Amino acid sequence: AQKITQTQPGMFVQEKEAVTLDCTYDTSDPSYGLFWYKQPSSGEMIFLIYQGSYDQQNATEGRYSLNFQKARKSANLVISASQLGDSAMYFCAMREGVGGMRFGAGTRLTVKP
Amino acid sequence: DTEVTQTPKHLVMGMTNKKSLKCEQHMGHRAMYWYKQKAKKPPELMFVYSYEKLSINESVPSRFSPECPNSSLLNLHLHALQPEDSALYLCASSPSARGRVGETQYFGPGTRLLVL
């Protein structure tokens, strides 16, 4: 079975600085996809970025980038130039075949002014 | 338009009540999902519908009854719930029903349910 691990329950970052949120995973499938979602206090899960196991380059979406190290089975999210609105829960997730997403425990990010 | 809508936003019900949660998407997606999220925990999959048919039931108690009337709508009927069922219920959809590993799921804002 697939497993997603996020070891940072909470992180703090100063506004305008960069922050890295860690995610490691375990799967026996050669083809897999890794996702990051943001969940503000309102509850909605907002899709941020996706990395495929066969992608040659690290994914980037605006201020979000994914540091994908396949041999280490890690897919860390990097947020550059943090903003106050980035304060939220962040979940790393993996798609399980025809089923749903399997999520890590999440990291609560707080951006300080 | 990548919007999934859910109603109601908040729901308070007693243990003997019957209520329904509704989810709607107009993106032409063929797979829809219900997740349950307890406080300070990640979402957990409850049900998967593919082409309006139930394809996955993650051993959810029968007091939760899903229904997919058409490709755009997904309901979750609630009956005789327990206080421990209080949670955020999230609906999601994805374009195909084949579960491609790279396919994003789009989530609605959720319904916060409190069972008294």
Side-chain angles (χ1 to χ4, degrees):
Chain A
Q2 298 172 331
K3 187 177 179 182
I4 300 281
T5 303
Q6 294 179 256
T7 57
Q8 304 157 314
M11 289 282 287
F12 291 87
V13 64
Q14 207 67 36
E15 194 178 7
K16 299 181 185 177
E17 292 186 351
V19 62
T20 298
L21 306 183
D22 295 342
C23 173
T24 58
Y25 61 91
D26 191 21
T27 179
S28 56
D29 293 330
S31 176
Y32 52 90
L34 293 152
F35 300 80
W36 277 91
Y37 284 86
K38 171 185 178 182
Q39 187 176 42
S41 56
S42 59
E44 183 174 3
M45 297 287 282
I46 302 167
F47 166 69
L48 296 178
I49 196 167
Y50 163 77
Q51 180 81 45
S53 58
Y54 293 122
D55 292 343
Q56 294 297 312
Q57 293 186 321
N58 287 344
T60 59
E61 287 286 348
R63 293 187 299 111
Y64 304 109
S65 60
L66 208 152
N67 183 0
F68 182 49
Q69 298 189 41
K70 196 170 180 177
R72 293 187 177 184
K73 294 190 175 181
S74 74
N76 299 338
L77 176 70
V78 180
I79 305 174
S80 63
S82 296
Q83 302 171 356
L84 295 178
D86 294 334
S87 293
M89 280 292 288
Y90 288 81
F91 291 98
C92 182
M94 182 179 285
R95 185 76 186 266
E96 290 193 306
V98 296
M101 292 282 186
R102 182 174 291 275
F103 292 89
T107 296
R108 178 165 295 284
L109 177 66
T110 302
V111 181
K112 294 181 173 180
Chain B
D1 183 9
T2 56
E3 189 179 53
V4 177
T5 59
Q6 289 187 244
T7 55
K9 284 189 179 359
H10 301 273
L11 180 62
V12 180
M13 59 185 292
M15 290 189 282
T16 58
N17 291 158
K18 286 185 182 181
K19 297 286 185 184
S20 296
L21 309 185
K22 296 185 185 302
C23 174
E24 190 167 5
Q25 56 89 12
H26 293 289
M27 297 177 279
H29 289 178
R30 304 314 305 266
M32 296 184 77
Y33 312 80
W34 279 115
Y35 288 82
K36 175 182 178 179
Q37 185 178 20
K38 299 282 284 182
K40 301 187 190 301
K41 297 288 188 183
E44 292 182 344
L45 184 68
M46 299 175 72
F47 302 103
V48 179
Y49 270 83
S50 300
Y51 294 107
E52 296 114 68
K53 289 187 178 7
L54 183 65
S55 62
I56 293 179
N57 175 342
E58 292 285 357
S59 303
V60 178
S62 59
R63 58 185 183 268
F64 295 91
S65 175
E67 179 198 20
C68 191
N70 59 56
S71 59
S72 300
L73 290 172
L74 186 65
N75 298 323
L76 186 62
H77 303 297
L78 314 173
H79 174 54
L81 294 193
Q82 303 296 311
E84 59 264 29
D85 296 321
S86 298
L88 178 68
Y89 288 84
L90 292 160
C91 174
S93 70
S94 63
S96 85
R98 296 187 184 88
R100 299 191 185 102
V101 294
E103 198 170 77
T104 302
Q105 292 184 6
Y106 297 92
F107 285 79
T111 294
R112 292 193 187 275
L113 174 67
L114 177 61
V115 182
L116 300 176

